[in-house]
């Protein structure tokens, strides 16, 4: 017996966004399942950050809609969207933005502490991710004492500390050298596989794209990948179709409240 496919955790339908009359997104649609890594590729200015901001509820599209677990995102009151971003979403900026007065572990634990988690539990969760990112020895240092790459890894740990349903990573390795970049990408993959975290990874890094389950490509705010489906999700879909005894040749259609304010 073939298990049914997991429901989408995030869906976007025909998103249109313009800035001062200039289109930033034009009819972009996509779907995302739990534990899936979706790369959003394209050159700078292609609309990647705008798309992530729409998907995370930070920016309301001019047209179209985003659904989180079948809940329409943008009709929600602003306070409810902010709560959703805090409780269910994580966000990584291209460059670290940490609280100077806090230590590395306190920065990583900040979403949990602000959410009312006991300090001991928040510290344990934060230290676990700092360990995975190979900076546990930096836990008691403040941002000014850390290297740029270490600060960025603290930012990644902060985004993962709450085990969010969806993690939005906007060029998270842009400021990193190869070894640090590879470590961050491995950690994001581990988070997706072990915790079922869906990852939306905006990047123009070809190697980062290669590690994703699926890729959509933007150019001037439009999808240029013809809504193709590839990777494990395509395999699952094909298996589902064969199990149902039907051939399916149809393509699947396919930074800041998330960076905590303190």
């Amino acid at each position: 017996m073939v298990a049914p496919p997991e429901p989408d955790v995030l869906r976007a339908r025909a998103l249109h966004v313009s800035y001062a009359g200039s289109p930033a997104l034009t009819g972009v649609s996509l779907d995302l399942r739990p534990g899936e890594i979706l790369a959003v590729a394209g050159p700078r200015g292609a609309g990647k950050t705008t798309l992530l901001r729409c998907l995370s509820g930070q920016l309301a599209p001019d047209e179209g809609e985003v659904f989180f677990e079948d809940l329409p995102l943008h009709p929600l009151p602003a306070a409810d969207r902010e709560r959703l971003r805090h409780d269910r979403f994580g966000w990584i900026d291209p460059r670290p933005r940490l609280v100077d007065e806090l230590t590395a572990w306190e920065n990583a634990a900040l979403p949990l502490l602000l959410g009312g988690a006991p300090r001991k539990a928040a510290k344990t969760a934060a230290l676990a991710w700092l360990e995975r990112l190979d900076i546990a020895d930096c836990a008691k240092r403040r941002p000014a004492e850390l290297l740029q790459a270490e600060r960025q890894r603290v930012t990644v740990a902060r985004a993962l500390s709450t085990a969010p349903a969806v993690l939005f990573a906007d060029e998270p390795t842009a400021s990193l050298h190869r070894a640090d970049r590879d470590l961050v990408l491995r950690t994001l993959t581990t988070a997706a596989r072990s915790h079922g975290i869906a990852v939306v990874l905006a990047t123009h890094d070809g190697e980062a794209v290669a590690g994703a389950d699926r890729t959509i490509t933007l150019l001037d705010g439009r999808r240029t990948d013809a809504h193709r489906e590839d990777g494990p999700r395509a395999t699952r879909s094909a298996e589902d179709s064969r199990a149902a005894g039907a051939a399916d040749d149809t393509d699947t259609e396919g930074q800041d409240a998330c960076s905590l304010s303190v």
Side-chain angles (χ1 to χ4, degrees), residues 49 53 58 90-97 152 155-156 158-159 167-175 255-256 258-260:
T49 297
R53 292 186 64 213
Q58 298 178 58
W91 183 277
I92 305 172
D93 278 315
R95 293 185 178 275
R97 296 202 292 175
Q152 184 66 355
T155 300
V156 175
R158 182 179 63 190
L167 174 62
F168 300 95
D170 187 11
E171 299 281 6
T173 62
S175 63
Q255 110 175 39
D256 182 355
C258 291
S259 299
L260 294 165

Side-chain angles (χ1 to χ4, degrees), residues 160-194:
L160 290 167
S161 65
T162 59
V166 184
L167 174 62
F168 300 95
D170 187 11
E171 299 281 6
T173 62
S175 63
L176 301 179
H177 294 299
R178 177 178 292 273
D180 296 305
R181 180 201 64 181
D182 291 347
L183 177 59
V184 166
L185 292 176
R186 285 198 305 270
T187 302
L188 295 181
T189 300
T190 297
R193 305 306 181 232
S194 64

Side-chain angles (χ1 to χ4, degrees), residues 57-165:
Q58 298 178 58
L59 175 67
D62 300 326
E63 298 179 30
E65 185 54 282
V66 176
F67 297 86
F68 171 70
E69 296 180 346
D70 293 327
L71 176 70
L73 200 57
H74 295 99
L76 293 175
D80 290 345
R81 290 200 310 274
E82 183 175 354
R83 189 177 304 111
L84 183 65
R85 291 194 295 269
H86 181 276
D87 295 342
R88 305 302 304 278
F89 295 162
W91 183 277
I92 305 172
D93 278 315
R95 293 185 178 275
R97 296 202 292 175
L98 303 176
V99 181
D100 293 339
E101 295 78 10
L102 301 181
T103 64
W105 83 257
E106 289 170 332
N107 269 286
L110 193 54
L112 294 169
L113 295 171
L114 291 178
R119 186 174 177 86
K120 184 176 180 180
K123 184 175 183 178
T124 298
L127 289 176
W129 285 111
L130 292 176
E131 178 71 32
R132 289 184 176 95
L133 287 156
D134 199 25
I135 49 170
D137 59 339
C138 299
K140 296 183 179 180
R141 300 179 192 170
R142 287 179 168 78
E145 303 173 79
L146 302 176
L147 299 174
Q148 170 80 3
E150 292 170 337
R151 292 195 294 270
Q152 184 66 355
R153 281 183 274 170
V154 173
T155 300
V156 175
R158 182 179 63 190
L160 290 167
S161 65
T162 59

